[in-house]
Amino acid sequence: MSLYDEGHTIAGWTGVGIATAGGGLAGWGVCVSSPSLIVIGLALVAVSPLVAWALHLTGRGKAPGVRPREEWGMRVRDTRAREGHPGCVGCRLAGRGRRVATTPVAASSSGAAGAGAGSRPLSPVE
């Protein structure tokens, strides 16, 4: 048995359920020639990842990777979601997760800080 428990979450199943309903509605709209049903179905498909992402950020999703067996349950809430999961694209998009400290770089006199009114920036071929 795998130690990875990917997608077995409330966030994952809710997103898939909304996308499936939207796809079915759009398909039904094609069958009955109804542009409004097609648009509504495609809108549901477009909203489904946003709903899953929001649920993931509230702790109803889980981090990617190996987890202990006691965290495998679908109803187990992830208490580490507020800090962000390492390696999680959804958490990174929300501004959570690993923060990289940046150090300011001193500008040299030939760089952008030294550019005066009559000078122009150098191109890569110069």
Side-chain angles (χ1 to χ4, degrees):
M1 181 190 278
S2 174
L3 294 177
Y4 292 90
D5 188 33
E6 301 287 336
H8 299 283
T9 63
I10 303 249
W13 282 108
T14 302
V16 167
I18 292 172
T20 302
L25 191 62
W28 185 35
V30 168
C31 291
V32 297
S33 299
S34 173
S36 61
L37 285 179
I38 295 170
V39 169
I40 292 170
L42 293 177
L44 282 174
V45 170
V47 166
S48 66
L50 299 175
V51 170
W53 183 37
L55 286 170
H56 172 79
L57 294 176
T58 61
R60 295 296 179 192
K62 296 176 186 170
V66 179
R67 284 185 298 282
R69 188 174 288 275
E70 54 272 359
E71 293 181 13
W72 283 12
M74 189 164 154
R75 295 185 181 166
V76 175
R77 190 170 185 143
D78 187 8
T79 57
R80 297 170 296 182
R82 185 168 294 269
E83 294 87 32
H85 302 112
C88 178
V89 176
C91 290
R92 286 274 177 92
L93 289 173
R96 297 178 182 180
R98 183 174 44 139
R99 305 253 193 268
V100 178
T102 59
T103 57
V105 178
S108 65
S109 61
S110 63
S119 64
R120 62 181 176 84
L122 296 175
S123 68
V125 291
E126 292 180 327

